[in-house]
Amino acid sequence: MQFLCKEYQDGNPRVRSLVTETRIHLVPSLNPDGYELAREAGSELGNWALGHWTEEGYDLFENFPDLASALWAAEERRLVPHKFPNHHIPIPEHYLAEDATVSHGTGHGGGAVMGRWCLTPPCPPRQVAAETRAVMAWMDKNPFVLGANLQGGEKLVSYPFDTARPISEVPAAAPRPPDDYEDDNPELQETPDHAIFRWLAISYASAHLTMTETFRGGCHTQDMTNAMGIVQGAKWHPRAGSMNDFSYLHTNCLELSIYLGCDKFPHESELQQEWENNKESLLTFMEQVHRGIKGLVTDQQGEPIANATIVVGGINHNIKTASGGDYWRILNPGEYRVSARAEGYNPSVKTCSVFYDIGATQCNFVLSRSNWKRIREIMAMNGNRPIRRITPGRPMTPRERMRLRMRL
């Protein structure tokens, strides 16, 4: 934050452009209770787990609703997307109750709607933390597009899904060329935005001074990233109900976890070097929010249409427009068939191109009113029975005349 303010005041063109064209939200600590515990112990006396949980014992990162398991269950029943959405999945009502609990999963992906992990299942349910509720409300209030949570204990970038899908639920996929960077693991379920997530993760890791060093190895086990510095969460540390999965499935935001280093609480003398290691990565990552397409969805009178659905062909994950009818969709370079849809309007389709240079392509939509809403109302008044066609030249019976008058 201090760097951005100082460089902006000094006239740094890169920082000025970033600050002027981007709404940047910074949360110094999601878990201030845990930070205080770690700070009191210090770098020398602290351990890996100290400060990981809140004072009440919550691991906030995996205290969110497990929407991934709900989505996969709906896919198994062929309910997606007609009866169950592939985006903006609602939070289960029982999760929002004051006495809501988060159930622990018992295996990869778990069987519960609210997933969480423990070493010796069955595990007792845990309550929903106040911090978790606050973050969910914050996500719903702001139309975030790109996010990152900074953690420690490892040096890599992790991207969704964090939940591992049970083998029986993984749909059959078409054969694809082998990937040198990812093992063939049937339990890994890629997001529809898998290629975009990898691009975002690589944008951070490749700009980091040490994250992709081939001789480093992992902090605790073997290097799970194959010297790339990135890994899908379910491959490395599978867990249900993560903040990253929730953000992806409930909002428009693509969120990743950035693990800054093996030392979770580095000594004060090491902070300057840690900043230098991550400075370029942080700037590069934030700039990726301006990659893809953006625009406005309005009606023919120029009025914005909120909650319109933006559909990108070939990517089975949609987004919605904000209250002002505006939207942002991060995409890799390429040509895309994009459509905008809204209740009561005819859909609009156009081709939008994304280029390698930073700067989102403007892709606006104007939707015309549809008659389907009025047709549904007339059908409902008729008991959803077929409406009898009136033959021209034939006089209507009194009953037909009465029905027509009631519809109008």
Side-chain angles (χ1 to χ4, degrees):
M1 186 184 301
Q2 292 176 347
F3 172 82
L4 292 177
C5 292
K6 181 181 183 302
E7 294 299 311
Y8 183 90
Q9 293 174 343
D10 291 346
N12 184 323
R14 183 184 186 188
V15 173
R16 275 187 171 270
S17 176
L18 185 62
V19 172
T20 302
E21 300 177 7
T22 315
R23 283 177 285 183
I24 303 173
H25 295 247
L26 301 175
V27 180
S29 177
L30 190 62
N31 180 14
D33 298 340
Y35 174 81
E36 286 300 317
L37 289 174
R39 186 184 66 84
E40 291 174 3
S43 177
E44 291 82 3
L45 300 179
N47 58 53
W48 188 91
L50 187 63
H52 184 76
W53 291 275
T54 66
E55 187 175 5
E56 291 81 13
Y58 301 116
D59 181 351
L60 297 178
F61 183 74
E62 48 188 276
N63 191 232
F64 291 79
D66 176 17
L67 302 182
S69 294
L71 173 64
W72 297 334
E75 287 180 348
E76 285 286 298
R77 299 170 61 187
R78 302 182 183 275
L79 300 178
V80 181
H82 306 291
K83 294 184 179 181
F84 194 95
N86 65 11
H87 64 105
H88 287 81
I89 299 175
I91 301 173
E93 292 183 6
H94 61 275
Y95 188 90
L96 298 174
E98 288 297 325
D99 58 346
T101 59
V102 180
S103 301
H104 294 259
T106 58
H108 284 2
V113 175
M114 303 303 163
R116 190 178 165 93
W117 299 86
C118 73
L119 296 178
T120 56
C123 305
R126 299 291 298 275
Q127 289 186 331
V128 181
E131 294 91 339
T132 306
R133 296 180 185 274
V135 170
M136 290 193 298
W138 183 53
M139 289 179 174
D140 284 333
K141 182 180 179 181
N142 298 280
F144 294 124
V145 181
L146 178 63
N149 48 83
L150 308 182
Q151 304 189 44
E154 195 39 277
K155 190 181 292 185
L156 53 82
V157 181
S158 172
Y159 55 90
F161 282 121
D162 291 315
T163 309
R165 186 172 185 172
I167 297 178
S168 60
E169 295 182 11
V170 177
R176 64 175 186 176
D179 191 334
D180 293 335
Y181 305 119
E182 293 186 5
D183 296 332
D184 183 16
N185 189 332
E187 294 184 3
L188 290 184
Q189 176 68 21
E190 298 174 355
T191 68
D193 286 290
H194 182 73
I196 300 169
F197 272 119
R198 282 179 59 85
W199 176 293
L200 295 171
I202 289 174
S203 74
Y204 193 98
S206 61
H208 193 280
L209 295 187
T210 62
M211 192 170 283
T212 58
E213 290 178 345
T214 57
F215 58 84
R216 172 179 60 85
C219 292
H220 305 284
T221 58
Q222 76 274 18
D223 180 17
M224 296 293 294
T225 74
N226 291 326
M228 289 194 68
I230 70 170
V231 68
Q232 183 179 341
K235 174 184 178 182
W236 169 54
H237 186 186
R239 45 190 166 178
S242 75
M243 183 162 61
N244 294 348
D245 288 0
F246 172 81
S247 179
Y248 180 65
L249 294 175
H250 182 68
T251 75
N252 288 346
C253 185
L254 306 182
E255 181 148 356
L256 298 83
S257 292
I258 299 173
Y259 291 80
L260 301 176
C262 300
D263 190 348
K264 292 177 69 72
F265 203 90
H267 193 272
E268 182 179 357
S269 62
E270 301 171 339
L271 293 181
Q272 182 60 39
Q273 184 58 51
E274 289 297 326
W275 163 245
E276 294 298 333
N277 289 343
N278 290 276
K279 179 175 65 176
E280 178 61 28
S281 295
L282 289 167
L283 291 173
T284 300
F285 182 80
M286 287 192 289
E287 289 171 337
Q288 302 309 305
V289 76
H290 297 290
R291 183 180 299 282
I293 60 175
K294 65 179 180 180
L296 288 170
V297 180
T298 61
D299 62 17
Q300 292 178 310
Q301 286 70 45
E303 294 296 321
I305 302 176
N307 293 318
T309 302
I310 304 298
V311 181
V312 179
I315 301 179
N316 190 28
H317 183 80
N318 308 330
I319 65 168
K320 288 186 176 182
T321 57
S323 58
D326 44 350
Y327 76 91
W328 306 264
R329 182 59 159 104
I330 299 179
L331 293 170
N332 285 340
E335 189 173 85
Y336 298 90
R337 194 71 169 164
V338 184
S339 65
R341 306 170 184 174
E343 184 71 24
Y345 295 87
N346 293 314
S348 176
V349 183
K350 61 175 55 178
T351 300
C352 306
S353 298
V354 178
F355 305 98
Y356 281 90
D357 295 335
I358 291 292
T361 301
Q362 193 80 22
C363 206
N364 299 327
F365 295 89
V366 178
L367 305 186
S368 60
R369 286 281 183 181
S370 169
N371 293 325
W372 278 109
K373 184 176 181 181
R374 181 58 179 157
I375 292 173
R376 291 194 191 98
E377 291 175 352
I378 295 175
M379 291 289 292
M381 293 172 61
N382 195 49
N384 288 324
R385 294 189 301 271
I387 300 176
R388 180 179 176 182
R389 182 180 179 184
I390 300 175
T391 305
R394 184 181 66 81
M396 289 188 294
T397 65
R399 187 173 184 180
E400 289 174 340
R401 191 176 294 108
M402 178 64 69
R403 284 182 177 176
L404 180 62
R405 190 178 297 116
M406 289 177 61
R407 294 172 196 152
L408 300 177

